[in-house]
Structures are given as C-alpha cells and as structure tokens.
Amino acid sequence: VDGQERELLSEKERARREEANRLFSVANAYREQGDHVHAAEIFEEVADLAYDNPDAQYHAGMAHLQAGRLDDAKFRWEKCLELQQDHSVAMFNLATLFAETGNVVKATEMMHKVLQLQPEDPDNYKTLAILLFKQDKNQEAIAEYMKCIHREPLHADCYCGMGNAFVRIGKYDEAQEAYTAAANINPNEAGYSNNIGNLLVRHHRFNHTAQQLAIKYLKNSVSLDGTYADGYFNLGEAYSAVSQYDFAVNAIKLAMKLDPNRQDYKCTLHLDMRKLCDWTDFEEYKDDLERMWQYGIPDIMKKKGTYVPTRKPGQPKSRRREYDVTICPNPLESLSYELSLNVLRHIAEAHGQEARTFVRNFQRFPLNPLPMTDGVLRVGYVSIELRDRPVGKDMVYAFRAHDPSKVSLICFSLNPNPREGVDSEETLSWHRKMKAECKGGYLDLSSTAFYETASAINREQPHVLINLDGWTSAPLINEIFILSPAPIQLSFKGFPGTTGIAEHHGIVADRKVIPPEFSEFYVERLVYMPHSYHYNGHDSLYAHLAELDPSSWPSRAELAGGSYFMKSSGSNSRKPEFFPADAIDSFILCNFNQFYKITPKVWQLWMHLLGQVPDSKLWLLSWNEAGKQSLLRYAKQSGIPSDKLIFTTFFEEKWHVASKANCDLFVDTRPYAAHGTAADALFAGLPIISAPGESMASRVSLSLSLASGIGDLFIARNDQDYVRLAQHFALKGRKTLRSLKQAMQRSAIKSAAFDSARWASNFISGLRMMYDAFVMEGAVHNHHILHDAGTDHNAAAKRDTLQEDAARSSVHQPSQSSSFQVRSKSKFEPPKSSQKSVRGSSKYSAPPAFPDERAEEKFKAKQADNDDDDDKKKKKKAPPRFSHEEKTDREKVKSAKSNKGRRKLPSWTSEDKDEAKSRSGWKVPSEKVRLDIPPRLTLDDKDLEDVHRDSPPPPPPPPRSQPSPNKGKKASPNVKIPGW
C-alpha cells in the first residue's frame, strides 16, 4: 500500500512540475513580447504551482516588478528567502525594492547581508554606497565606493558616485579628480562630462577660466546625448556665469522641452530672462509664486526621489531620471519679485529646512560660554567674498575700524587664496589687505568639507560668528551655521532678508529696513543699529573724493570724451560705450542697478517721466547687449525715442562714484532697491527717489538716505508719489537742483552712513551686548536695540554742519539721541498703531521714516522753531508744519497720528518757473503737477488727494508677447499720457 501511494504522489509531483515548466515557458514568451501584465499573471500561477521552488518565487517577483506591482514582487521575494535564505539575488532585489518604496534604512540592512554572501561583487558595494548617499552618510558612502574600485579599478560609475559624495561634503578638488577618472574610463558617457562641467559652474563661480572650461565639457555632454536635459540646463548655467544670458536662456529652454516637469528649470529660466530684461510671463510667474508659497512649501516640491540604479557592467546606461525635487526659487531670487513677507519667509524656511535635513547626521557643537582673554571679544566672519568682491572690499575697511583692544578678528574664507602669476595684481593686492586686517587670523577653508570647516571654526573659539553671505553665492555656508560652531551667530550684509534658519540668532538691521511691526516675518532676532545697518567703506575707499572740490570731479564733457572708463581687454570684452555728447546739457535721470532689478512696473514709471520731463534722458549701465536691446525695444513700444536712453559701460573704480555724480536724479528700483549703488549715489550727493515696500531688500536705500542726513524728502509712499516727487524735482531744473546736490554731498560725507569708526563702535557694542546676554541667560531670547550720539570727538561739530546744510537745502535730518546707550529689550513690543499683521498683503504702503511719531513730532517742531528764527531775520516767516501750542498727552498723540506721512516740499520760486519755461520753449503744465506750493506749507488729507488726482497716473505696461490676464478691461478714462 505504501508503494502505491508513493507512486501516485510521484506522478502528481511530476505532473505539477511539468505544468509549472509549461506555464513558465508561456510566461517567458509574453515577457519577451513586452506584455508584462499577462506575463506576471502566468508567473503568479507558476509560483503557486511551484510553491516550494525559490527560483519560481524569484521569477514571479521579477515579473510583478516589471508590471509595476511592487507589493506582489515584495511578497514573492520574501517567499523566496523563506525557502532559501542565501538567495543573494532575491535579497539584492528586495533591498532595492525597499529603497523604491522609501524604506532606505531597511534596504541598507539587507545590502549588508548581500555583501556577506557576495563580498567580491563590486556592484553590491556600489548599491550600498548609493543607499548611504541617499541618507546623507557621505563619508560611509565614499568608503563603499573605494571598496568597489578596489575590486574593479575601471568601474566608472563608482568613480562618478564617489565624486557626488565628495561634492556633498564640500571636497571639490577630490570630486573633480573622481569625475575626471570616470570620464577618462568612459569618454562616451554624457553624464560624466556633465558632472565635471556642473562642478565647475557651481563651485568656481567667480573664475572666468573655469566657466569657459565648463562650457566646453557641457557642450561635449549634449553632443554625446542630445536628449540629456540636465546637460542643457547646466550649459545654460555656465553661459549665465560668463554673462552670456541669451545663450543661457536658449539652453535652458531646450532643457525644459526635454523635461517639462522640472520646476527648478523654470525658476532659473525666469532669472536669466530678467537679466535680459525679457518680461515674458513676468506677472503670471510672480502670481504663481505668491499662490504656491502662500501657505508654506508647495506639495509639488515635497516629493523625494527613491530610485536606486542596479545596472550591471556591460548593460546600457539607464536614462531614467528621478530627482529629489529642487526647491525654488532661491531666496535671493525671490527678493526681486513683489511678494508678500509671508511668502518670502516660507521660501527661506523651506531652503533652511532642506539644509537642516542635509546635516542631520552630524553632531552639533554645544552652545557653552567661552573663555575671554583680557576682555577681548573674538569675532569671526565667514564668507566666499573675502577678496576683491564688493562685500570683501567694504569689509576690509570695516575690519580696519574695529578696535583691537575690544575685538579680535578672525576671517574664515570659503574662496581659494589667489595665486602669484595666475591672478591679477589687483586681486592679490586686495587679498593682502584682507589678511592684514584679520589680525586674529585668516583661514583658507575653501578645500575642506563643510563639517570640517565647522570644526575648524569651532576650534578657533569665536564668541560671535557672522555670516556675510546667507543665500547669495557661497555653497554650504548655511549648513555650517546650522551646526552652531559659535555661541552667537548673526546674519549680516550679504543677504537682505530672513535666512529662514533659526541657528542665526540675529539679523543685523535697523528700524528703517525692518520696522518693528514686521518682526514676525523674520526667524532671527532683530539687532537694530542706531543708523543704517548697511556698512559702507566709502570714507576710506573714496577718501580722495572728500579732499577734492566737486567741481574738479569728472565732468560730462570728459565722460563724453571717453575719460574715466574702464579699458577693454580680452577677446570677449565689449566695445566701450561712452556718455553721449548730445546729452551734456540734458536733465539726466539714472539708475545703475543690474538689469534683473528692473521690473515692468518700474519701467513704465520711468517711461512716463521721460514723456513728462522736457529734454530728459535715462542713464543706465550697459550690463549686456541683449538686455540693452530689450529695453530699447520696450521704449519704442512706449513711444519714447531711443536717444532718450543712455547706456554706458563701466567706469574706473577710483572714479566711478564721482562719475555717477553727473546724473541729476537717481530713480530707484522696486522691490529690490539699490544697496551699494545707493551708497555710491549718496556719497556723490545724488538724490535718490525711492518707494520702499515691505521687504528688507526694498528699504535699504531708505535707510541709507536717512542715515546720510538727507531725510525723507525723496521717499515716496507709493507709485503715484514716486512719479510726483521725480517730476517735482526734475521740473525745478538742473541749476536749482545743483545747489541741493552740493549741500547733500557735504552732508553725506560727514554723516553716520559713511563714518566707519562710528559704525564699528556701535557694532562692537552690540556684539558685546548680545554675548553678555547669552552668558547670563544661556540663550539669545530678545531683540536688541542700539542708541548712539556719535563716537568721534567731532560728532557735535558734524551735527551742527549737517543741520546748517539741511536748513540751506530744505533737507530733513533724522533725530539724534543725546547719549550713548546700549540696552536689550526684555519684551519686544511694536508701536500700538502697527499691531495689525500684514501677512499676505501685497499693497502695503511704506511706514513713515520715524517709527515713533511722537519723537518725529518733537524733532520737527524743534526744527521748525529754529527755522522760524532764521525766517524772521529774512522777513519770510512761513507757517509751521506742526502746531506748537501746549497740548495734553492725548492731544499730542492725536496730533502725531494726524500728521503721519506728511511731507515738507521745497519751494518753487518764480525764477525756477522762468528757467523751466525758457528751456526748449516748454511751459510748465500746472494742470499736471502743483508746483506753486509756498515753503513749509502744512498739507491736509484733501490737499494730498488733490495732488495725487492732478498728477497723471502711470501709463500701461509695454505690450507683452503673451496675452495679459486683464485683457478686455477698459482703461481708466483719466489716463492721458503723450506717446502712450
């Protein structure tokens, strides 16, 4: 009986196996035809029949994987391992499947088991390295790549992956060597050439030779694979780095056609289009950013890639591209769009969180008080621009002004030291100056990994560490600060906005660039300087101008003759463009900001002014030829002749500030206003018409104007006010404005805005105050405010001189406190009138220059009393701006609120009118702007409404290549602008 049963069972077993083999052949046939769904169904039957065969379970899992049924594939591979625990191929595939589904930790554990079974397979080490790389365990990943190369010395993919890991930790020289090795092993692989080019683009941004080499590698990449989207995108970035923005835009557009879902391509494209003044889809893109980021990081940017390549040597290179979605726009780029403060904070915080995730595997340094030798505070500055860069040139003189008995300065440079015989003598000279001023030490950390950089900084034990770059150009600088190598860390100078990183304990600002009511939109505490936070080294850099009479500065005739312009050099340099001779006697409006700061709204205001002011011209710098041609085209569409626009190339550095003084009126951009350019203009006595918005970047010229002693005379509250102010001063004529400019120039040179010693003294006191608060409380909890009455022995004499100059030119002065005091607010409370949140608002008009209206009232009343004494002598007493009667406290508050935002306008004399009428036979259009205002006239709300109503409204924007969303709406019947 037992024999019969065994025979019957063996027959059934034979039949089961035969049926399984038959179905296996059928399933293979379907798979070879590409019908993976039917193949998976039949392989599932095979697995059920051959339930005790590990290979049947493995093949069923592969079929389910090809059909996209990951759960079924996982089930069958797990069954395979139950039947055969050392089935290394099933274990390998199961590890990659865990990675695909986001369980990278489990996948890593399984790959370690695979390596125990197959320790000599180099691809196993490669896959483990990729998994470690995805977890930001870059050092471990590099070790596994090295094991892969040890077993297969010509494994190009392992060299390439190792290069990626080196880039992650900031070892760019080692990364370039690894990428080059991969390209030498397989010169026909487009990705290897792309990696070399991309490395040069991203991490040698200021090296023109490196960028030209990057273009060469990236051209080779796209020639090897014409469908390689990343190759075209990086090629566009390389062209942008050498200011060939037209080529950059074309390359990025090709990348977008190949991969239209990449949001980072779109963000970069719009930035390069801004540099070409190509405003196609400008408003739509801005509105998209506002909508996407209104409530935090968009869902589309939260996706993380999970793909782990498992290609074996000899198999074709996979072009599958799955990325961790790049968060965009960059915080710096977002500042050039008129976005709400809420959105700007969300963008910065998203990038900050991404940086924080990147360093999650590294130990942060403990925040403990550090010993202090002889009461000297150790202050460290970290930047990529500590050489012949704009920030570096300014900071050389800031460092020189630091008192060595109070502060020991340490500089941590993220840019390689210049080399003799390679870099220019000017670059070497600035480098020597920088090292000389960093008396506490100068460390070149450009070739070290970011965590090694943080460790090196921590070993120097700075009490305060200052980030001079933020989100500008330095790679991994914010990751360094997240590791907290110093007890107190500040953001200053380079990035004008919140970094979104709470490890920056404070942001250096003032009450003008960040009003107290906006503090909720900054993750950092506010460190308020008493005057402008923006340090300018002009009193040292351009000291020769202060010693010269302005009449001996470069004249328009000299500029028209080609004097004082930079000499062109090199094969790619552009032909110099000089000041036109036919503009010598014209009224010149100017703006010297880069093209990307110009928006369609600002441009239409400028075109309106050119149409209203007779014999006027607009002077811009010619940053690139394509952008220049775009602006000329927009002007023509607006009915403005091309000869109304002046484009010049750059001036010699020694004379560029004095050369810009030949302009009559600087019209600022918005929302990204002039910063260093505003300092240049004010030092030359050039008035700046600005309309500050909400963002810090839009308010720097306001801060500098007030600190330079000019007051709020040229500060507009909105676009209409901007046009009215510009017209008012332009129509007064060059002769009248010249005397005002001379008084402004005398005032600015002596002001707090250009007093390095005064700025440094206040700054050092603030740093010491913050560190003392940290020692007492163990953390930085509060905002900090500095008050100052001047630190040099000539401060009182300077203030008297400024007030005299202001009285002669009707320039308002900000109030000065009578004593030097530093204090920390235990509770930061904005003025009650400013408690209302502006979250999400995009139509906020700028607050008054004085955050405290009562202080403004007292100061203006005191100034009016002094002016009345002078007027009595001249028998021209003017009505006071404010009432000087005794009032109760409640009446004073009410008076301050009612006078908020009112402006004292300069007088318009009959001589001025006659001069304006005689110029070009043109008559003053009194119906357009009210110029017959007596001096010191008090304007009530009705008067202001009349002025705004009588001023012509701004013209419509230039024609767009894409239809406007407002198409079909009727224009206002009051718009009557010649030439539009």
Side-chain angles (χ1 to χ4, degrees), residues 204-223:
H204 297 274
R205 194 77 180 177
F206 305 130
N207 189 325
H208 187 83
T209 303
Q211 297 305 317
Q212 293 292 350
L213 187 60
I215 291 173
K216 177 183 176 182
Y217 275 107
L218 293 165
K219 281 184 175 179
N220 179 61
S221 175
V222 296
S223 67

Side-chain angles (χ1 to χ4, degrees), residues 8 35 51 74 79 87 102 106 122 149 194 223 254 337 424 581 682 684 753 804 811 822 825 906 963:
L8 182 61
D35 191 347
Y51 54 84
K74 176 176 175 290
K79 292 289 289 183
H87 199 298
K106 181 67 174 177
I149 294 169
N194 171 73
S223 67
L254 281 172
Y337 293 93
S424 67
L682 293 169
E804 292 173 6
V811 177
V822 180
K825 277 198 171 184

Side-chain angles (χ1 to χ4, degrees), residues 377 379 381 395 398-399 402 407 409 464 466 468 490-492 507-509 527 529-530 533 535 756-770 786 820:
L377 193 72
V379 180
Y381 289 86
M395 294 312 295
F399 297 161
H402 284 42
V407 172
L409 277 179
V464 181
I466 298 172
L468 290 176
L490 301 179
S491 172
F492 169 59
I507 179 173
V508 181
V527 182
M529 294 290 287
Y533 86 101
Y535 174 77
S756 292
R758 186 174 182 176
W759 180 92
S761 177
N762 294 331
F763 189 62
I764 293 169
S765 298
L767 299 183
R768 186 59 181 262
M769 174 186 70
M770 291 192 71
L786 304 173
F820 179 79

Side-chain angles (χ1 to χ4, degrees), residues 290 294 340-343 521 694 838-843:
E290 182 72 34
Q294 186 175 4
S340 64
L341 290 178
N342 197 40
V343 166
F521 301 105
E694 295 178 344
V838 295
R839 185 181 296 276
S841 171
S842 60
K843 295 183 178 180

Side-chain angles (χ1 to χ4, degrees), residues 571-583:
S571 57
N572 294 325
S573 58
R574 294 171 54 201
K575 181 180 178 181
E577 300 176 63
F578 302 142
F579 193 88
D582 60 0

Side-chain angles (χ1 to χ4, degrees), residues 308-347:
V308 179
T310 58
R311 179 175 64 94
K312 302 291 184 180
Q315 292 179 339
K317 180 75 173 180
S318 171
R319 280 296 172 215
R320 177 178 176 182
R321 293 296 191 201
E322 186 176 16
Y323 299 87
D324 291 349
V325 177
T326 302
I327 295 176
C328 72
N330 178 277
L332 181 65
E333 177 191 344
S334 66
L335 296 177
S336 63
Y337 293 93
E338 203 155 359
L339 303 173
S340 64
L341 290 178
N342 197 40
V343 166
L344 294 177
R345 172 167 177 164
H346 285 158
I347 293 173

